[in-house]
Amino acid sequence: MNDPSPAPDAPRRAFLRRLALASAGAAAGAASFDLAAAAPVPRRETRHWDASTDVLVVGSGAGGIAAAIDARRAGAEVLVLEKFQVPGGSSSISGGVCYLGGGTALQKALGFEDSVEAMHDYIIAASGLHASPEKVQRYCEGSVEHFDWLVGNGVVYAQKFSDEKEISIPDGSLYYSGSERVWPFRERIRPAPRGHVPPSPHLIGGRDLMHALLDAAQRAGAQLRTRHSAERLIVEADGSIAGAMVVDERVPGSPKTLAIRARRGVVLAAGGFIHNREMVQRFAPELYACSAPWGRGGDLGIGILMGMAVGGAVQRMHHGFVVIPIYPPEDIVKGIIVNARGQRFVPEDGYYGLLGHEIAFHQDGRAWLIADDAIAYKWDDFRLPVAATAPSIAELETRLDMPPGALVQSVDYYNAHARDGADPLLHKAAKFVAPLGRAPYTAYDLSVQNVFAPVHTFGGLQTDVDARVIGAFGDPIPGLYAAGRTAASIPVAPYIGSGISVGDASFFGRRAGRHAAQRKA
């Protein structure tokens, strides 16, 4: 019998390895879970300050730059530190989607009705037990204003809607980026498209988003230093944060350690920890197994470690997104996804972050997509390796080493109802329901080690609605803030839709910047 989860061929494995290394950078290899290395420096041991500012921002992604913009507009002096030569963080290599709703100008211009209540109810329902109700409420109530803020800072959106499950048109800016039209949400909450993305000829809206925000921060007067890596926080005797120890790496081979004072606060926005493989293995083993760690090289967990080292609490460290991009094209969604027992377990029309979550967290990382000749890819697709092909479902079942009769029974049951356009088991939308009946049949390997499975972390420092870092005893740490994936905030597992991460980062980054700017120096 064939191995049900064969290793991908050498060229494909090499591609995934290059992809991971390219996004991680050489620095990731030395990253570890080392709280001692991030241990705080007592203020009394800091003999002099090499530089000072009101608000010190660590990281230049959406969270950090949003903090810088609003801190400057609140009258504070701002210095942003970026570990690498090119600013923008992981936000700059994302799709650039922001999950926004409640009646944004773009939604209205394209004829869609939405409400704060509907947006709130969907996020809460899709997030399950791990939702942060107060943060979700604030985010939804401020969503329309946040969209206007993005536009006011130079982010451009096109008045064009895409009805596809993924934004695959270069001139579109609004689409259904989550599972809003998937059962059971569509039955309980009025769906609305909330994925707002800058149009991009190459579908790299994150680059355009961050170009606009970085330009806005510069115009506002924020200072940016690249090749500066914050390593440790400096702490006053009363536990408040006074600044940070920073390594200036601009001269290769001759790093300098600087003490930078933050008179009002430090904002940690240094990304997640997907490229710190020791941290991932320790805190999120389901994510460790996935094939494509996704993010810029700065996602090493240093912001989280710095916060933990001064007593910051962490939340949901095992959470993250696992994307299984079976679409586009959408026709493939007419297939069925089964586990090692040959049984369906997730609606195939769900957001691909939902598919990845169910496979990684609930199916031991193993699953297969079954397609007939009518919908199978007519090309070799690097995303989905072929596990087996066969002239019949029974033979395919044998080649996948599934329990005798299990896959046959699943396909027979599915086909019996699909002929009437129905899916009583998982309620897949009617447009994606069609019987599987044209040989040959193909099983695509969706196992997270073999399929193209981009993965990123969501766990981080516990924060309140003003992005203040919460200590282990439940009180805010004076002068310390966190945003983006350095914080545990609205994004949880399962991921509710593309754009909630960048939207959350920029929204709560703004709150961090404003609150820090208002603290007494």
Side-chain angles (χ1 to χ4, degrees):
M1 293 185 182
N2 289 358
D3 181 351
S5 300
D9 57 40
R12 187 177 169 282
R13 185 183 294 277
F15 170 81
L16 292 177
R17 184 167 58 250
R18 289 196 305 272
L19 185 65
L21 290 174
S23 59
S32 64
F33 178 72
D34 188 356
L35 274 179
V41 177
R43 169 69 177 85
R44 65 179 181 274
E45 296 181 9
T46 306
R47 297 175 182 271
H48 71 279
W49 297 110
D50 297 288
S52 64
T53 186
D54 289 329
V55 178
L56 180 65
V57 179
V58 180
S60 67
I65 295 302
I69 292 171
D70 274 23
R72 276 295 300 145
R73 290 176 181 166
E77 183 181 3
V78 178
L79 174 61
V80 181
L81 306 178
E82 167 56 49
K83 181 178 179 65
F84 295 106
Q85 181 65 37
V86 178
S90 292
S91 303
S92 65
I93 62 169
S94 74
V97 185
C98 283
Y99 193 89
L100 301 167
T104 66
L106 184 60
Q107 286 178 315
K108 290 180 177 179
L110 292 171
F112 291 99
E113 293 184 16
D114 195 13
S115 67
V116 170
E117 293 75 18
M119 180 184 180
H120 169 274
D121 291 351
Y122 170 71
I123 295 177
I124 292 292
S127 299
L129 298 175
H130 299 286
S132 300
E134 191 174 2
K135 287 183 179 178
V136 172
Q137 184 71 30
R138 295 290 182 94
Y139 183 72
C140 294
E141 290 174 347
S143 183
V144 169
E145 185 275 335
H146 191 54
F147 175 78
D148 295 339
W149 180 88
L150 290 167
V151 173
N153 281 292
V155 183
V156 175
Y157 296 93
Q159 290 192 11
K160 187 169 184 178
F161 167 71
S162 171
D163 197 37
E164 298 184 39
K165 288 183 64 60
E166 176 58 82
I167 190 71
S168 56
I169 56 174
D171 55 347
S173 279
L174 185 68
Y175 74 113
Y176 287 89
S177 66
S179 294
E180 298 86 358
R181 295 189 287 186
V182 176
W183 185 89
F185 309 116
R186 66 172 182 252
E187 305 295 332
R188 297 156 45 190
I189 306 160
R190 181 175 180 172
R194 301 189 184 103
H196 293 63
V197 58
S200 171
H202 304 292
L203 304 177
I204 49 174
R207 182 193 64 177
D208 298 335
L209 174 80
M210 289 312 302
H211 276 176
L213 295 184
L214 285 161
D215 287 346
Q218 184 177 30
R219 291 194 304 271
Q223 300 298 309
L224 171 67
R225 293 188 186 181
T226 58
R227 302 289 294 166
H228 280 69
S229 177
E231 305 285 345
R232 306 164 74 186
L233 292 169
I234 300 172
V235 183
E236 299 281 8
D238 64 358
S240 62
I241 304 304
M245 300 301 295
V246 177
V247 178
D248 178 353
E249 300 175 336
R250 287 176 296 178
V251 179
S254 300
K256 295 191 301 181
T257 300
L258 310 174
I260 299 181
R261 183 185 182 192
R263 291 181 289 266
R264 300 184 185 179
V266 173
V267 179
L268 299 174
F273 59 95
I274 194 60
H275 290 313
N276 186 325
R277 304 307 288 165
E278 184 177 326
M279 280 185 73
V280 177
Q281 190 171 35
R282 175 180 294 214
F283 292 112
E286 294 90 350
L287 307 183
Y288 184 81
C290 297
S291 66
W294 198 259
R296 285 278 291 272
D299 287 329
L300 299 170
I302 184 60
I304 298 170
L305 293 174
M306 289 166 65
M308 291 174 69
V310 296
V314 292
Q315 284 184 304
R316 300 187 292 271
M317 291 293 283
H318 63 299
H319 280 215
F321 72 63
V322 180
V323 170
I324 305 292
I326 66 171
Y327 56 81
E330 288 190 349
D331 268 359
I332 200 68
V333 178
K334 295 175 182 176
I336 64 172
I337 296 175
V338 298
N339 58 20
R341 299 180 182 89
Q343 300 167 332
R344 292 177 71 208
F345 59 92
V346 64
E348 293 81 10
D349 61 337
Y351 170 58
Y352 49 35
L354 173 63
L355 306 183
H357 174 81
E358 292 298 318
I359 294 169
F361 285 87
H362 297 153
Q363 302 298 331
D364 295 324
R366 304 174 69 209
W368 293 265
L369 170 63
I370 309 301
D372 70 358
D373 191 57
I375 61 172
Y377 295 137
K378 305 306 178 187
W379 59 87
D380 290 332
D381 194 308
F382 78 90
R383 296 172 300 175
L384 279 73
V386 173
T389 58
S392 68
I393 294 296
E395 179 62 23
L396 192 67
E397 175 185 88
T398 299
R399 295 184 182 184
L400 295 174
D401 199 21
M402 290 178 176
L407 181 61
V408 171
Q409 185 180 52
S410 291
V411 173
D412 285 348
Y413 177 87
Y414 176 75
N415 282 350
H417 294 282
R419 294 185 186 99
D420 297 324
D423 178 19
L425 182 65
L426 294 171
H427 308 279
K428 183 160 59 172
K431 67 179 288 188
F432 299 118
V433 175
L436 302 174
R438 184 189 298 178
Y441 299 93
T442 301
Y444 295 100
D445 189 353
L446 303 188
S447 301
V448 296
Q449 291 179 317
N450 298 334
V451 71
F452 175 56
V455 58
H456 196 64
T457 60
F458 286 156
L461 296 168
Q462 182 182 352
T463 56
D464 65 10
V465 294
D466 289 314
R468 295 181 296 176
V469 174
I470 305 301
F473 295 100
D475 296 320
I477 297 175
L480 187 60
Y481 303 81
R485 300 293 57 84
T486 300
S489 192
I490 293 179
V492 298
Y495 195 35
I496 66 101
S498 292
I500 199 68
S501 182
V502 175
D504 162 271
S506 51
F507 183 85
F508 287 101
R510 293 176 61 198
R511 296 183 71 88
R514 290 198 301 270
H515 198 280
Q518 292 163 3
R519 286 188 73 242
K520 290 184 180 180

